[in-house]
Amino acid sequence: MLFQVGGQGARPTFFEMSAAQQLPTSLRAALSYSLGVFALRRPFLHKVLDYEDEFFALLMSVLESHSLRTTDGSFSESLYGLRRRPVNVSVNRSNPGAESNVKAYDSALRKRQKTLSVVFLVVLPYFKSKLQSVYNKEREARLQASLWDQGEVRFDEAGFVSDQQGETSQAQVETTAGEVSHLTRLRTNFAAVIGVCYPWIHATHEGLSFAYQLLYLLDATAFYSPGLHVLGLHVCRATGQELMDSSSRISRIRSRELERLRGPPWLKTVQRVLLNCTYTTLDYAQTGLIAAVFFFKMMEWWYQSAEERMSAPTVYPPPPPPPLPKVAKDGLPLPTDRTLCPLCCQKRNNPSVLSVSGFVFCYSCIFKSVSQHKRCPVTLMPATVEQIRRLFHDL
C-alpha cells in the first residue's frame, strides 16, 4: 500500500503528523487574538503582546518540558496519542551498504534527548521568529530608503541605518561615522547580514521540511521532519500498556518529589499544596488551553451575533405611492378611458410619461405640447422635453 491513510499500526499517518505540527501555530494565533480582545478592556495586557514571542516561548517551554517528561512526546503529539522513541538502525554485516529492517526501539527518552527536543520545539522556532521580524524591518527600511533622496541617510524606527546612495564628501562621511555609535553600526551590519542570508535560510528550511514530508507520505522515510532525523527519534502511537506505564511513572516521580520536601511541618504543607496545584495545572493545561480558546471563540460568536441583531436596521414596509397630481382648472380634462391620450383623445401611440406630473400621453403629442408651451397640459406644471420618458410596458 503506497499511502498509509488508516489508523492501523504504530506508525502515525501523514495527517496525524501534520495536525500535530500545525497545532502550536494555531494555538499561538488563538492566544494572540484572545489577548488582543482582552487588551481592549485591560490595557496592561498590551505589554504581554509587545513581548509575544517571549511569552509564547516561555509558555511552550513549560508545556513541552512537562509533556516530554511525562509522556515522552511533545505537547501536540501527546494530544493525538503519539510519543517519541529513539531508534538504532543496525547494519547488516553481509551487505554493509544496505540497512537492516531490524530497528531496536528504546522504551523511554533519555534526558539529553528530551532537552534537545525542547530546543528544536521551542528555542529554534523562537529564534526563527525573531530573525523573521528583523528581516521584515530591514526590508521595510530598504523600501523606504528607495523612496528618499539618494544623498540622505535615514534611520527607521528600529534604529537601523538605510543604505547611503549617491556620492558624499569625505567630511560628511567622517561626521556621520562620529555620530553613529558602535552598537548602532553592529546592529546595522547584523540587519544587513540577516537581510541577505535569511531568505536562503528560510528557503532551505522549508525545502527540507517539504522533502521530508513528501518522503514520509510516500513511506520512503520514517522521519517526518529534519529535526526528528537529527535527533534520531521516531514518532509512533502509544499503546494502552505504555499509557498505563506512563501514568504509574508520573505517580512515582511525584511521590519522590513529595518525599524530598524538607522543613517544618507548616512549610511542608505549603510546599505540598503548591506542588499539587502545579501538577493539576500541568495535567489539565493540554486540554484546558484548547477548551478555553474554543469557549472564548464560541462566546465571541454568540455576543457578536446578538450585537448584530440589536444593531441591525429595522425593516419597514414600503411607503404608499404619492397621490395623483391635481388637474388644473385651465388644463386639459382627463378622458374617462385611461388608455386614451388626453391631447388627441385617441389610443396612445408610443406611450410616454411626463415625469413632473406622471400622466401618460402619445410621444408625438406630448413632445409638441411641451416644446410649445413648456408645461404639462393637464396640471400646467413647468416641464421640458428632457423630462419625457418613453414607456415600453406594451412590448
Side-chain angles (χ1 to χ4, degrees):
M1 187 174 179
L2 185 59
F3 299 98
Q4 183 182 1
V5 296
Q8 300 177 358
R11 185 176 185 270
T13 62
F14 175 83
F15 304 103
E16 289 176 315
M17 296 298 298
S18 178
Q21 185 185 35
Q22 295 298 326
L23 181 61
T25 305
S26 303
L27 181 61
R28 175 175 180 171
L31 288 177
S32 301
Y33 179 79
S34 303
L35 289 176
V37 174
F38 284 119
L40 298 177
R41 295 180 177 271
R42 299 292 185 269
F44 69 90
L45 292 177
H46 285 290
K47 297 181 179 179
V48 178
L49 294 176
D50 292 338
Y51 299 94
E52 177 184 350
D53 295 333
E54 289 75 11
F55 170 76
F56 187 75
L58 179 61
L59 175 64
M60 293 306 297
S61 63
V62 174
L63 296 178
E64 298 289 4
S65 301
H66 174 71
S67 180
L68 288 167
R69 182 187 180 190
T70 56
T71 63
D72 286 341
S74 67
F75 173 76
S76 56
E77 291 167 356
S78 59
L79 184 66
Y80 289 93
L82 307 177
R83 58 172 296 177
R84 297 188 172 196
R85 286 177 175 175
V87 57
N88 299 321
V89 181
S90 59
V91 179
N92 191 356
R93 297 298 180 183
S94 60
N95 188 6
E99 292 183 352
S100 173
N101 292 329
V102 179
K103 298 179 181 179
Y105 291 95
D106 296 334
S107 59
L109 298 180
R110 299 183 180 87
K111 185 177 180 180
R112 176 175 173 275
Q113 293 171 330
K114 294 179 181 179
T115 303
L116 292 178
S117 295
V118 174
V119 171
F120 275 85
L121 291 170
V122 179
V123 180
L124 293 184
Y126 168 74
F127 282 112
K128 186 175 182 295
S129 177
K130 301 304 288 185
L131 291 178
Q132 177 71 38
S133 62
V134 172
Y135 171 73
N136 291 336
K137 291 179 180 178
E138 175 66 14
R139 184 178 60 179
E140 182 180 357
R142 290 181 180 275
L143 292 176
Q144 291 178 357
S146 64
L147 301 177
W148 291 332
D149 189 8
Q150 294 183 356
E152 296 181 357
V153 178
R154 300 282 182 167
F155 294 85
D156 64 350
E157 297 179 356
F160 301 140
V161 183
S162 61
D163 294 338
Q164 183 180 6
Q165 300 178 357
E167 296 182 357
T168 57
S169 63
Q170 185 67 24
Q172 291 177 343
V173 174
E174 293 176 357
T175 303
T176 305
E179 293 177 353
V180 179
S181 63
H182 180 66
L183 181 61
T184 305
R185 288 197 298 269
L186 290 178
R187 188 184 304 172
T188 304
N189 295 333
F190 176 75
V193 172
I194 294 301
V196 175
C197 298
Y198 180 78
W200 296 97
I201 297 174
H202 180 71
T204 303
H205 176 264
E206 295 297 325
L208 285 175
S209 299
F210 174 76
Y212 270 85
Q213 292 174 12
L214 181 61
L215 292 175
Y216 187 88
L217 179 63
L218 299 175
D219 203 9
T221 181
F223 302 102
Y224 182 78
S225 64
L228 292 175
H229 198 173
V230 172
L231 296 174
L233 299 178
H234 283 188
V235 178
C236 59
R237 292 193 182 92
T239 62
Q241 184 63 35
E242 289 173 344
L243 295 177
M244 294 176 61
D245 295 341
S246 178
S247 300
S248 60
R249 184 177 59 184
I250 295 172
S251 300
R252 289 195 302 269
I253 292 174
R254 293 179 177 179
S255 299
R256 287 196 299 267
E257 291 178 350
L258 293 175
E259 291 174 358
R260 286 198 297 264
L261 296 179
R262 297 292 183 268
W266 65 271
L267 183 59
K268 289 184 179 180
T269 303
V270 173
Q271 293 176 350
R272 187 176 292 105
V273 171
L274 292 177
L275 283 177
N276 289 330
C277 293
T278 303
Y279 295 152
T280 303
T281 302
L282 291 176
D283 290 340
Y284 292 98
Q286 190 177 59
T287 56
L289 283 174
I290 306 300
V293 172
F294 175 77
F295 178 76
F296 176 79
K297 297 294 291 182
M298 184 184 66
M299 295 300 296
E300 182 191 24
W301 168 80
W302 179 267
Y303 285 110
Q304 185 178 4
S305 300
E307 292 177 358
E308 289 178 354
R309 290 194 299 268
M310 294 177 62
S311 60
T314 305
V315 179
Y316 295 99
L324 294 175
K326 296 181 179 180
V327 179
K329 294 182 179 179
D330 298 334
L332 292 177
L334 294 175
T336 305
D337 189 357
R338 295 188 177 184
T339 61
L340 302 181
C341 174
L343 290 172
C344 63
C345 296
Q346 302 292 328
K347 190 173 182 180
R348 289 190 294 261
N349 185 19
N350 292 331
S352 301
V353 62
L354 190 60
S355 60
V356 294
S357 61
F359 291 105
V360 182
F361 309 87
C362 295
Y363 179 77
S364 57
C365 298
I366 190 60
F367 186 85
K368 293 178 182 178
S369 175
V370 173
S371 299
Q372 294 177 2
H373 304 289
K374 306 295 183 183
R375 62 183 181 181
C376 175
V378 178
T379 61
L380 304 182
M381 298 173 63
T384 61
V385 293
E386 287 80 9
Q387 295 173 329
I388 302 174
R389 300 291 182 268
R390 290 284 306 275
L391 299 178
F392 301 94
H393 64 280
D394 294 338
L395 296 180

